[in-house]
Amino acid sequence: MTDSAYPNGRNGVPCLACPLRLKPAFKDKTDEEIRFIQAIKTEHRHLPAGSDIIHPGQQDAELYTLFSGWAFRYQLLPDGRRQILNFLLPGDLVGLQASLLSAAQHGIEALTEVELCVFPRKRIWDLFVHMPNLAYEVAWLGSREESLIDQNLTSVGQRNASERIAALVISLYRRAEALGLVTDGGFRFPLSQQQLADALGLSLVHTSKTWSRLRKAGLFAIAEGRLTLLNPRLTSRMALLYEREVAPRPLI
Amino acid sequence: MTDSAYPNGRNGVPCLACPLRLKPAFKDKTDEEIRFIQAIKTEHRHLPAGSDIIHPGQQDAELYTLFSGWAFRYQLLPDGRRQILNFLLPGDLVGLQASLLSAAQHGIEALTEVELCVFPRKRIWDLFVHMPNLAYEVAWLGSREESLIDQNLTSVGQRNASERIAALVISLYRRAEALGLVTDGGFRFPLSQQQLADALGLSLVHTSKTWSRLRKAGLFAIAEGRLTLLNPRLTSRMALLYEREVAPRPLI
DNA sequence: CGTTTGTTTGAGCCCTATCAATCTACGTGG
DNA sequence: CCACGTAGATTGATAGGGCTCAAACAAACG
């Protein structure tokens, strides 16, 4: 909980120098806000791929910011079926719902190696008391996550297999793009087909077949763990997307 | 925006005497909090069933509290398919996501005749500045809604038709129960089968067949627009629910 | 009463699930 | 260096849950 500025170390990058905030997707912060964030940040945590960040039913989970890497939220049924609810990319809040509701209705797992900025649950309250603008952004981020889940629910409920895959690819592409993670029309794509299937609400086999059909149709390509969007127009059309402008995104 | 206490009239019930707050599901408020809410409430609005409360793409929507009646949030695909994202019951916030994100990614429609308490969008900010406890509850309610959508997404992605219906019935039953709307094991159930189908991600025909099969199996009964849960145990088992305690619910 | 809106039921087909086997990549140990 | 084991991806065959088409039925309404 030290406030000192340090190049790195236990607490990683100082918030004042946080590279995430420089990305186009992120809203400017005042020095006061950044210092407050720095003050309540207790740790900069590294976890390997596959780690449980929050396990289902966990009480009083901490709040995190995803500094680097990918994660996903999921829910399990008693018989083992799993639904992946949404994917978390750098800059996303991790565990807000679990923090506010005090008992997590879901789990969160690291999809790749991740770095997390750790904020104790109790401090969220301080933030609401002392930093209303930051509190407002927390609420904003919560609503934005809900909006993403809305879209996934619409996908799973109304779109067929091809349309679901196209919609997911477009959605992830746009998010990666907003974070400056897209180079040469492609970005790191660390999902296994089982994870894809669980996110799409499809079986593994059908996911594999549809996935490869869309690749052969030239919509996108996979190589070396990267996805390259070869035909954005066609992919977007197949996804049956409404082209609605998304609000500009402030982020902690 | 008057602060006066009145028995009813243009602004309906004064917040100090709001009957909703007396229900077991609602958290106590201080007089100061209630007066603040009263002060920013601009209208008590009545709308008939089927009204658009927020239309898809709407800018700068107002924020509402659902005082009475049911509503639902939905998303449309360009070809007309509709996904109902969640149902809104008395006491729920209406349009938080639309207010925070400034452009609604969804629509909200009155399912029955409704009464809404109207709060102007700009005042939400005042609430964050002056009433951190209320702001925290707004965020809490946002997370609670997200949790409901998570469960719907899991349902639509992983459960078959019977399981989905059972899960929806149980979920609505519990929410109605927490609001004291259940009498004689039943509650008002104003959904058409088309709305059910759009919420479940099933076709109208298949919804009708499965719905009547579960009724004939004795899980629940429909009469005079009311649903009576005849066999909660069996319904709950069919829904493949995890029995996890839900957090106590504060509400504005 | 005719009309409209919503519900029910039957028939046939297709999309997706399931089962099963093969293939590939990759890491480990002999 | 190569045999082997494991995890993930791919492909074929078959079955079933859910969709679509279509028509009958019921209830609400002017």
Side-chain angles (χ1 to χ4, degrees):
Chain A
M1 226 178 329
T2 165
D3 198 7
S4 64
Y6 35 67
N8 44 43
R10 171 177 144 274
N11 277 17
V13 182
C15 299
L16 271 166
C18 182
L20 276 176
R21 215 168 358 85
L22 302 177
K23 309 268 174 146
F26 291 76
K27 189 180 155 187
D28 278 347
K29 300 266 175 299
T30 66
D31 280 1
E32 185 192 12
E33 288 164 359
I34 297 172
R35 265 186 273 108
F36 187 88
I37 296 169
Q38 176 83 65
I40 66 175
K41 174 177 172 181
T42 55
E43 198 182 338
H44 191 89
R45 191 176 296 170
H46 290 251
L47 292 174
S51 305
D52 270 353
I53 298 174
I54 290 176
H55 59 264
Q58 181 174 340
Q59 303 274 330
D60 296 326
E62 290 166 306
L63 179 65
Y64 310 94
T65 292
L66 188 53
F67 182 79
S68 72
W70 288 37
F72 63 87
R73 287 198 321 125
Y74 65 93
Q75 243 179 16
L76 297 176
L77 294 189
D79 66 356
R81 283 178 261 176
R82 176 177 72 168
Q83 177 66 40
I84 292 185
L85 303 164
N86 60 327
F87 294 100
L88 303 170
L89 268 55
D92 285 343
L93 285 184
V94 181
L96 175 62
Q97 188 184 319
S99 295
L100 291 177
L101 300 189
S102 76
Q105 304 293 308
H106 57 261
I108 304 184
E109 181 178 321
L111 188 58
T112 66
E113 178 180 297
V114 297
E115 292 176 74
L116 297 166
C117 305
V118 183
F119 303 96
R121 179 173 133 76
K122 313 286 185 199
R123 292 315 198 85
I124 303 170
W125 173 244
D126 296 349
L127 190 138
F128 273 78
V129 172
H130 297 297
M131 292 277 139
N133 32 10
L134 290 182
Y136 191 87
E137 287 203 4
V138 166
W140 190 95
L141 284 165
S143 285
R144 181 177 163 278
E145 179 170 287
E146 183 183 317
S147 173
L148 282 176
I149 302 163
D150 287 349
Q151 290 171 39
N152 291 342
L153 176 50
T154 299
S155 239
V156 173
Q158 303 299 327
R159 290 191 244 250
N160 67 26
S162 302
E163 294 163 353
R164 283 184 219 182
I165 290 180
L168 179 61
V169 166
I170 291 281
S171 165
L172 290 174
Y173 182 89
R174 290 184 181 167
R175 291 174 66 190
E177 194 175 31
L179 294 169
L181 298 175
V182 172
T183 53
D184 300 327
F187 59 105
R188 182 177 179 201
F189 195 83
L191 305 189
S192 74
Q193 298 205 351
Q194 183 63 64
Q195 289 158 344
L196 264 177
D198 288 347
L200 297 168
L202 296 170
S203 72
L204 173 60
V205 173
H206 196 60
T207 300
S208 176
K209 286 173 179 170
T210 310
W211 185 247
S212 82
R213 185 151 33 82
L214 295 193
R215 269 166 13 218
K216 282 167 189 155
L219 298 205
F220 52 82
I222 298 284
E224 300 158 30
R226 287 172 50 86
L227 185 150
T228 306
L229 192 52
L230 301 174
N231 195 334
R233 296 288 290 281
L234 185 53
T235 307
S236 181
R237 192 150 52 83
M238 173 164 290
L240 290 178
L241 291 178
Y242 259 120
E243 295 303 335
R244 213 192 296 293
E245 280 312 304
V246 194
R249 163 188 175 171
L251 257 196
I252 287 186
Chain B
M1 226 179 326
T2 166
D3 198 8
S4 64
Y6 36 67
N8 43 41
R10 172 176 142 274
N11 278 17
V13 182
C15 300
L16 270 166
C18 183
L20 277 176
R21 214 168 359 85
L22 303 176
K23 310 267 172 143
F26 291 75
K27 190 179 155 188
D28 278 345
K29 300 267 175 300
T30 67
D31 279 0
E32 185 194 10
E33 288 163 1
I34 296 171
R35 266 186 273 107
F36 188 88
I37 296 169
Q38 176 82 65
I40 65 175
K41 174 178 170 181
T42 54
E43 197 182 338
H44 192 87
R45 190 177 298 170
H46 290 253
L47 291 175
S51 305
D52 271 353
I53 298 174
I54 289 175
H55 59 263
Q58 180 173 341
Q59 303 274 330
D60 296 324
E62 289 167 309
L63 179 65
Y64 310 93
T65 293
L66 188 53
F67 181 80
S68 72
W70 288 37
F72 62 86
R73 289 200 318 126
Y74 65 93
Q75 243 178 20
L76 297 175
L77 294 188
D79 65 357
R81 281 177 263 177
R82 175 177 75 169
Q83 178 66 40
I84 291 184
L85 302 163
N86 61 327
F87 294 100
L88 303 170
L89 267 56
D92 286 343
L93 284 183
V94 180
L96 176 62
Q97 187 184 319
S99 295
L100 290 176
L101 300 188
S102 75
Q105 305 293 306
H106 58 261
I108 303 184
E109 183 179 320
L111 189 57
T112 68
E113 177 179 298
V114 297
E115 292 176 72
L116 298 166
C117 305
V118 184
F119 303 97
R121 182 174 131 75
K122 312 288 185 197
R123 292 312 199 86
I124 304 170
W125 173 243
D126 295 348
L127 190 140
F128 273 77
V129 172
H130 298 298
M131 293 278 136
N133 31 11
L134 291 182
Y136 190 88
E137 287 203 4
V138 166
W140 190 95
L141 285 166
S143 285
R144 179 177 163 278
E145 178 170 288
E146 183 182 318
S147 174
L148 282 176
I149 302 164
D150 287 350
Q151 290 172 40
N152 291 343
L153 176 50
T154 300
S155 239
V156 173
Q158 302 300 325
R159 290 192 244 252
N160 67 26
S162 303
E163 294 163 353
R164 283 184 219 183
I165 289 180
L168 179 61
V169 166
I170 291 281
S171 165
L172 289 175
Y173 182 88
R174 290 185 180 167
R175 291 174 65 189
E177 195 174 30
L179 293 170
L181 298 176
V182 172
T183 53
D184 301 326
F187 59 105
R188 180 175 181 202
F189 195 83
L191 305 189
S192 74
Q193 297 204 355
Q194 182 63 65
Q195 288 158 345
L196 265 177
D198 288 348
L200 297 167
L202 295 171
S203 71
L204 172 61
V205 172
H206 196 58
T207 300
S208 175
K209 287 174 179 170
T210 310
W211 184 247
S212 82
R213 184 151 33 82
L214 295 193
R215 268 167 11 215
K216 283 166 190 158
L219 297 206
F220 51 82
I222 298 284
E224 299 159 30
R226 286 172 52 86
L227 185 150
T228 306
L229 192 51
L230 300 174
N231 196 334
R233 297 289 288 281
L234 185 53
T235 307
S236 182
R237 194 151 51 82
M238 173 163 289
L240 290 178
L241 291 178
Y242 260 120
E243 294 303 334
R244 213 192 294 295
E245 281 311 303
V246 194
R249 162 189 176 171
L251 257 194
I252 287 189

